[in-house]
Amino acid sequence: MPNATFDDYDLTKFCRLDEIGLEATGQHLEPGRAVLACKVADPDDWCHRCGSQGTPRGTVVRRLAHEPLGWRPTTLHITVRRYWCDDCAHVWRQDTTAAAEPKAKISRRALRWALEALVMQHLTVARVAEALAVRWNTANDAVLAEGKRVLINDPARFDGVTAIGVDEHVWRHTRRGDKYVTVIIDLTPLRAGTGPARLLDMVEGRSKKAFKTWLAERDQAWRDQIEVVAMDGFTGFKTAAEEELPEATASWIPSTWSVWPGMPWTSAGGGSSNRSTATVAARTILSTKPDAPCSPGPGCSPTGSTRGSRTSLTVTTTWRSRPPGRSTSTWSPPTDSRTGRRARR
């Protein structure tokens, strides 16, 4: 160690190979890629059957795509030793499951990098595949499996949820197959003012059955703690929530397509609003806090009704027949900026 601040250079730690049970033994650098020669840190030379010490019988090389270093695709050439047991004639190889799943082509560190790049840095699967120097299908399948293991299979993601939102999303733009998915969002941080909303789950299809089945899969204790369900005007979601969450308050969020595109949507009182649906949704959720007054933003017309100690909110939209001070003979409905056609009532 030259001084108390810096350690000796270590390629293994720099490339984070120690996290996956490997040691770097060499490197080969080119302008377009990097290759790291590695070996398994654990000798694993004891027989897995009888426990006797094995005899080395050659090596094999396993190649894995690693997280890119210096924006160059990095490949690991792992030397895996084979052993022979003289007592029971058992043959085995060094265990490399810490580095990657059996038959996988991407290391665990590369999977973590790809998942973070896709979710946090908003990279596309094509860009991730290019950085790892693998095919698109290989990167896509690996990232989906890792995301399901880390995110979807984590039971703790349902802890502390008291307000949820449900809506449909078009994810497939083809003529074949169901193009809709039902998206369930955790609105608890938004309602409590502690942070943004977060994704809970996505279910294929857009129907009462899809949402009802998802709710039925949750345990009763979790369903009992849900206080607010925010949704648009689709009656299927409303019916499913009433059947599976009878004690929850249903809040209707006006959709961006509930009125003609480009038209100001107004409340029953006649005041117009140009605020986005997300803003209205946020204020609707905030107004459904326990013991909180119903105070949505402009464009919402609350109708006071209570269920227990909670406050429900109904948002209505109406057409304004004409601007104030204009006669019906001289006023005509505005036109849609995209199609040039007049809006119909």
Side-chain angles (χ1 to χ4, degrees):
M1 180 181 295
N3 53 56
T5 304
F6 297 96
D7 294 331
D8 292 333
Y9 61 89
D10 191 339
L11 183 61
T12 299
K13 291 184 178 180
F14 178 79
C15 299
R16 309 182 76 168
L17 298 176
D18 56 328
E19 300 179 10
I20 55 177
L22 301 178
E23 293 181 6
T25 59
Q27 65 180 20
H28 176 72
L29 303 180
E30 295 181 2
R33 67 170 187 152
V35 181
L36 299 178
C38 309
K39 67 177 183 179
V40 182
D42 185 10
D44 194 20
D45 56 348
W46 295 93
C47 181
H48 298 174
R49 289 184 179 177
C50 65
S52 301
Q53 189 170 15
T55 303
R57 287 295 182 91
T59 59
V60 294
V61 176
R62 183 180 183 184
R63 294 174 176 83
L64 295 175
H66 195 50
E67 58 180 323
L69 301 173
W71 290 100
R72 289 181 296 190
T74 304
T75 305
L76 304 180
H77 281 208
I78 307 173
T79 301
V80 183
R81 189 175 296 277
R82 293 185 298 181
Y83 292 95
W84 163 273
C85 181
D86 297 330
D87 295 338
C88 64
H90 178 57
V91 179
W92 72 95
R93 297 179 182 180
Q94 286 179 296
D95 186 13
T96 59
T97 54
E101 292 288 343
K103 299 183 180 181
K105 298 181 180 180
I106 303 177
S107 69
R108 296 190 185 275
R109 276 301 318 167
L111 285 178
R112 187 69 180 186
W113 175 88
L115 187 62
E116 292 177 355
L118 193 68
V119 176
M120 303 176 63
Q121 305 300 328
H122 307 291
L123 267 66
T124 62
V125 176
R127 182 64 184 88
V128 170
E130 180 184 359
L132 297 177
V134 297
R135 294 185 177 182
W136 188 93
N137 289 334
T138 302
N140 185 66
D141 295 342
V143 170
L144 286 178
E146 181 68 7
K148 183 177 181 180
R149 184 187 69 85
V150 175
L151 303 176
I152 303 300
N153 293 341
D154 181 16
R157 77 181 195 275
F158 292 107
D159 295 346
V161 178
T162 59
I164 62 174
V166 57
D167 200 358
E168 71 274 2
H169 174 69
V170 179
W171 72 281
R172 177 184 288 157
H173 299 273
T174 60
R175 295 183 178 180
R176 297 182 179 180
D178 195 344
K179 63 180 181 179
Y180 287 99
V181 291
T182 299
V183 183
I184 298 95
I185 305 294
D186 177 19
L187 299 175
T188 306
L190 184 66
R191 186 183 182 215
T194 58
R198 63 188 183 94
L199 177 65
L200 275 182
D201 210 341
M202 299 179 69
V203 184
E204 188 173 358
R206 178 192 61 167
S207 62
K208 168 191 171 182
K209 180 180 179 181
F211 186 40
K212 180 180 174 65
T213 302
W214 185 88
L215 290 174
E217 292 175 353
R218 313 278 79 79
D219 56 78
Q220 187 62 41
W222 185 86
R223 284 181 285 172
D224 291 341
Q225 71 183 10
I226 301 300
E227 300 176 358
V228 179
V229 181
M231 66 194 76
D232 60 8
F234 180 49
T235 57
F237 294 155
K238 181 176 182 296
T239 305
E242 290 178 348
E243 294 179 0
E244 296 296 330
L245 306 173
E247 299 299 326
T249 300
S251 296
W252 178 61
I253 307 302
S255 173
T256 53
W257 296 103
S258 61
V259 295
W260 191 271
M263 281 290 293
W265 60 276
T266 64
S267 66
S272 64
S273 173
N274 293 324
R275 296 184 180 272
S276 64
T277 303
T279 304
V280 178
R283 296 196 174 188
T284 302
I285 294 302
L286 291 176
S287 67
T288 55
K289 288 183 178 180
D291 302 327
C294 181
S295 56
C300 298
S301 176
T303 302
S305 62
T306 59
R307 181 186 299 176
S309 61
R310 302 169 185 167
T311 303
S312 63
L313 179 67
T314 303
V315 182
T316 59
T317 60
T318 60
W319 288 95
R320 186 165 56 188
S321 59
R322 63 180 183 275
R326 301 290 294 274
S327 63
T328 56
S329 60
T330 60
W331 180 82
S332 59
T335 59
D336 181 15
S337 59
R338 301 184 305 170
T339 62
R341 298 179 180 178
R342 290 183 176 180
R344 297 181 179 180
R345 296 185 62 181

